Amino acid sequence: MITGNKELIRDINSTIVLETIINSEPISRANLSKKLGLTKATISSIVQDLINQNLILEIGSDETLYGRKPILLSFHKRAGVAISIDLGLTITSAVLTNLKGEVLQYMEMQTPAAPPAIVPQLINLVNSMVGKSPKTFYGLIGISIGIHGITTNNRVSFTQYYNLSNIHLAEELEQFFHVPVTLEKEANLSALGEHTYMYHYPNIANINVHNEISLGLVMNHQLYSGFSGYAGELGHIIVERNGRLCACGNRGCIGEYTSIRALMKDYAELTDKVNITINDLLIDYQNNEEPALVIVNQFIEYMTICVNNVVNIFNPDIIVINCIITNYFPEIIDEIESSLKSQMNFYQKIAPSYLAQNSILLGGVTVLVKNFLKINSLKFATTLSKPNKILKP
């Protein structure tokens, strides 16, 4: 029989206690003891250690009809800060947050067109944010970078629309800042962001529709990325035989018909306009302009195929569609759902992303905080507002 020594058992119990305080705060020592089945003496000892480590705080007393009022415990969200970056194809966005993902700073910059300029620009960005950061006990706990491509073993292994293959992002930034740097596929971070801050289902499929289409999967509350990080490359499912040529080398990939990049190309050809933007499409759709209706119907048709494949392969509890079209017009989700004809489609919910463009950034914070605290599960709330409807010009 395998047994653990006292130090190992205490470390495991400490992790469980910290995770429970974070996900159930505010909570008293007595309720922790009942919830976890640990003795009051064990709880008191572990709690004191966590207080000494500046990871939890005593925040006041709970109401009770009898006896001494119990002291409530809460996660010390200001004990450190995290920086999460979304390295987009044209725009790079970044947030500096406390340990609960509450945004303290937000910055944007143009993504450098020349790959060798990316690391120096990221160093400048992080330095600027750290310089304005409040002083905390642990300081900067790490940097997360969302990659619009595939990552394997914390390195970029494939990108479709920008070249990062010869840049060692994590290593160079770690050497400069002396903190952990994590690279992860943007859709994976979106799935973690939705799971932590919005939808606390065990199994989540998050479909990101930007310049490409990608899928992030949370299974049994844990991120699933496959053998080498290639799980969830939904945009490369072939739906048209001998169809449009994709940058991956195949023809007929679904991303060539329903990504924002593909939709805007089709919309420009349909309207014979140049310099057309996604906002033009959204406004025209709101105004029931025929070309916009055609393009959105094309999006619904192919997105229905995406959702049907995800349901049949992974059978998640919830499918979150993170796309500017469905975020502004969530009623389109109902049209996609009504287009699912199969009697085998069993799931709880299809929903638009509440976090929208923030999901990648908050997912990055989730990774950093989990790694820093060495815990498996986080459940936070967000104060972010839903995206506003477009006003007619």
Side-chain angles (χ1 to χ4, degrees):
M1 181 177 68
I2 298 174
T3 60
N5 58 35
K6 291 182 179 180
E7 289 76 16
L8 175 61
I9 293 172
R10 183 177 176 82
D11 287 344
I12 293 171
N13 285 340
S14 294
T15 299
I16 294 171
V17 169
L18 177 59
E19 187 172 302
T20 304
I21 292 172
I22 292 172
N23 294 329
S24 305
E25 63 177 352
I27 189 170
S28 67
R29 291 170 174 82
N31 283 337
L32 274 173
S33 179
K34 292 177 183 177
K35 193 177 185 75
L36 298 177
L38 298 173
T39 67
K40 291 182 179 179
T42 298
I43 291 292
S44 294
S45 177
I46 291 173
V47 164
Q48 189 57 53
D49 285 346
L50 294 174
I51 291 174
N52 293 341
Q53 294 172 47
N54 281 279
L55 293 176
I56 64 173
L57 299 169
E58 295 180 329
I59 61 170
S61 55
D62 199 3
E63 293 298 325
T64 182
L65 295 176
Y66 306 102
R68 183 184 301 174
K69 292 182 178 181
I71 301 298
L72 294 174
L73 305 168
S74 180
F75 179 45
H76 191 354
K77 64 183 180 181
R78 296 184 179 88
V81 295
I83 289 180
S84 181
I85 299 169
D86 175 10
L87 188 61
L89 304 187
T90 57
I91 299 294
T92 294
S93 56
V95 291
L96 183 143
T97 75
N98 62 27
L99 299 186
K100 289 189 74 172
E102 295 170 350
V103 177
L104 307 177
Q105 294 180 49
Y106 176 87
M107 294 185 70
E108 282 186 359
M109 70 174 191
Q110 292 286 328
T111 301
I118 291 177
V119 170
Q121 290 286 0
L122 288 178
I123 288 174
N124 291 338
L125 178 69
V126 173
N127 265 332
S128 177
M129 302 188 89
V130 170
K132 301 173 185 176
S133 171
K135 291 184 178 180
T136 63
F137 185 81
Y138 288 103
L140 180 64
I141 65 165
I143 301 166
S144 171
I145 304 177
I147 301 296
H148 291 248
I150 307 299
T151 65
T152 306
N153 298 324
N154 215 32
R155 286 193 172 186
V156 179
S157 53
F158 173 78
T159 54
Q160 189 166 345
Y161 296 108
Y162 55 5
N163 183 15
L164 302 175
S165 57
N166 295 318
I167 302 175
H168 302 308
L169 283 173
E171 292 95 328
E172 293 189 47
L173 291 175
E174 283 179 349
Q175 289 174 8
F176 192 91
F177 292 105
H178 305 291
V179 297
V181 176
T182 302
L183 306 185
E184 188 58 78
K185 184 174 81 170
E186 44 82 31
N188 289 346
L189 295 181
S190 286
L192 287 173
E194 298 287 353
H195 179 262
T196 300
Y197 290 89
M198 272 305 303
Y199 301 109
H200 307 302
Y201 293 87
N203 305 294
I204 294 178
N206 181 92
I207 301 174
N208 271 7
V209 184
H210 306 301
N211 282 321
E212 67 285 328
I213 298 177
S214 55
L215 175 69
L217 293 167
V218 171
M219 302 179 71
N220 294 321
H221 296 292
Q222 300 300 316
L223 181 67
Y224 177 78
S225 55
F227 171 67
S228 57
Y230 279 79
E233 282 306 290
L234 188 62
H236 297 289
I237 290 176
I238 295 174
V239 292
E240 298 288 349
R241 184 182 180 187
N242 297 321
R244 297 173 180 176
L245 180 64
C246 178
C248 75
N250 287 324
R251 287 187 174 273
C253 292
I254 199 167
E256 296 304 307
Y257 299 90
T258 194
S259 67
I260 296 300
R261 170 187 49 81
L263 293 172
M264 293 312 301
K265 181 180 178 182
D266 290 347
Y267 194 50
E269 292 177 357
L270 197 60
T271 58
D272 198 26
K273 293 180 180 179
V274 295
N275 299 323
I276 199 165
T277 68
I278 184 63
N279 284 336
D280 295 325
L281 172 62
L282 297 176
I283 291 171
D284 289 350
Y285 177 74
Q286 182 173 263
N287 292 335
N288 292 315
E289 299 287 343
E290 183 62 27
L293 296 177
V294 170
I295 294 299
V296 173
N297 283 335
Q298 174 180 319
F299 169 77
I300 293 171
E301 176 185 352
Y302 284 104
M303 188 50 55
T304 301
I305 295 173
C306 284
V307 171
N308 188 70
N309 285 333
V310 169
V311 169
N312 287 332
I313 296 172
F314 298 106
N315 190 214
D317 300 306
I318 182 171
I319 297 172
V320 180
I321 300 177
N322 189 346
C323 174
I324 190 170
I325 295 174
T326 50
N327 291 344
Y328 275 102
F329 301 105
E331 61 271 16
I332 290 176
I333 296 288
D334 296 332
E335 296 188 50
I336 293 171
E337 195 159 13
S338 66
S339 299
L340 295 170
K341 307 292 186 184
S342 175
Q343 296 181 7
M344 298 172 60
N345 287 332
F346 298 105
Y347 52 87
Q348 292 193 44
K349 189 175 184 180
I350 301 176
S353 172
Y354 186 93
L355 302 178
Q357 70 272 18
N358 301 294
S359 63
I360 299 171
L361 298 171
L362 290 178
V365 174
T366 298
V367 170
L368 295 174
V369 174
K370 279 184 172 182
N371 290 344
F372 174 67
L373 299 176
K374 297 180 176 61
I375 62 176
N376 294 318
S377 176
L378 284 176
K379 187 167 65 175
F380 291 146
T382 179
T383 57
L384 295 171
S385 59
K386 293 181 180 179
N388 295 319
K389 288 282 189 178
I390 302 169
L391 297 177
K392 293 183 180 181

